[in-house]
């Protein structure tokens, strides 16, 4: 089981690293921070460039935690929170990724939640240091709850921005408001 958990942790961490570097540096066909920031602005995350930086750094921190198996419940919480925000923002396009949907962030967040419940396995820095993240309900539930709670802050801010845009946007059916 430890080999499987190590493989899951490292593969998820590698994907998160790539995802982060697309935002932060434009690697792997990504848009880079400025263009990603513009996309974030359209989605209601303002200021977009700063939010892209925060998202990219959170993905890197979560990836580092999962790859090494160090402070695993915290890394899982970071990934769950970041991917929840991304999934909500892209859910308007449906689920599947080929239509721009939330499939990828949903999967990354779900895999992190699973690792929160299973623990990092014996091939991890947590195990080597004797940290108490044994598999179980409590640590997984804590990581999941903390991640979801943390996602509420940017999602609430986004909801406020989108509400303001709707109330200040000119109506197309009233030429006096255009």
């Amino acid at each position: 089981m430890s080999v499987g958990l190590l493989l899951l942790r490292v593969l998820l961490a590698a994907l998160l690293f790539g995802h982060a570097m697309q935002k932060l540096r434009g690697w792997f066909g990504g848009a880079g921070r400025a263009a990603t920031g513009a996309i974030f602005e359209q989605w209601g995350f303002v200021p977009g460039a700063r939010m892209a930086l925060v998202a990219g750094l959170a993905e890197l921190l979560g990836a580092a935690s999962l790859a090494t198996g160090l402070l695993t419940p915290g890394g899982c919480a970071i990934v769950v929170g970041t991917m929840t925000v991304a999934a909500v923002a892209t859910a308007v396009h449906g689920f599947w990724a080929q239509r721009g949907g939330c499939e990828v962030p949903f999967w990354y967040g779900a895999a992190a939640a699973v690792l929160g419940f299973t623990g990092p396995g014996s091939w991890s820095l947590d195990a080597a240091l004797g940290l108490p993240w044994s598999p179980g309900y409590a640590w997984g539930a804590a990581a999941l709850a903390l991640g979801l709670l943390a996602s509420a802050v940017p999602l609430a801010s986004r909801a406020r921005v989108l509400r303001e845009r709707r109330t200040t946007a000119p109506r197309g059916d009233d030429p006096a408001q255009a």
Side-chain angles (χ1 to χ4, degrees):
M1 183 153 112
S2 288
V3 173
L5 290 172
L6 174 66
L7 187 60
L8 177 60
R9 287 190 354 253
V10 169
L11 290 174
L12 178 57
L15 291 169
L16 288 165
F17 173 80
H19 204 66
M21 296 314 288
Q22 287 176 320
K23 286 179 189 65
L24 298 174
R25 305 287 298 179
W27 294 1
F28 311 113
R33 195 167 143 215
T36 300
I39 294 167
F40 275 35
E41 291 264 348
Q42 290 174 356
W43 288 343
F45 297 110
V46 292
R50 185 180 313 151
M51 294 302 289
L53 176 64
V54 169
L57 292 176
E59 291 166 357
L60 285 178
L61 185 59
S65 172
L66 295 180
T68 61
L70 181 63
L71 305 174
T72 304
C76 292
I78 291 168
V79 174
V80 165
T82 305
M83 293 300 122
T84 297
V85 173
V88 169
T90 55
V92 66
H93 301 292
F95 184 74
W96 301 112
Q98 81 268 18
R99 297 189 184 268
C102 63
E103 175 187 6
V104 170
F106 172 82
W107 168 243
Y108 292 174
V114 167
L115 285 168
F117 282 97
T118 63
S122 61
W123 292 2
S124 66
L125 288 178
D126 286 346
L129 295 171
L131 297 176
W133 322 131
S134 61
Y137 174 76
W139 288 113
L144 185 59
L146 182 59
L148 293 174
L149 184 62
S151 73
V153 174
L155 290 174
S157 175
R158 174 183 185 250
R160 180 189 49 78
V161 167
L162 294 177
R163 245 188 337 271
E164 288 172 2
R165 286 181 185 169
R166 281 193 301 271
T167 59
T168 60
R171 292 189 137 176
D173 57 349
D174 185 354
Q177 291 183 359

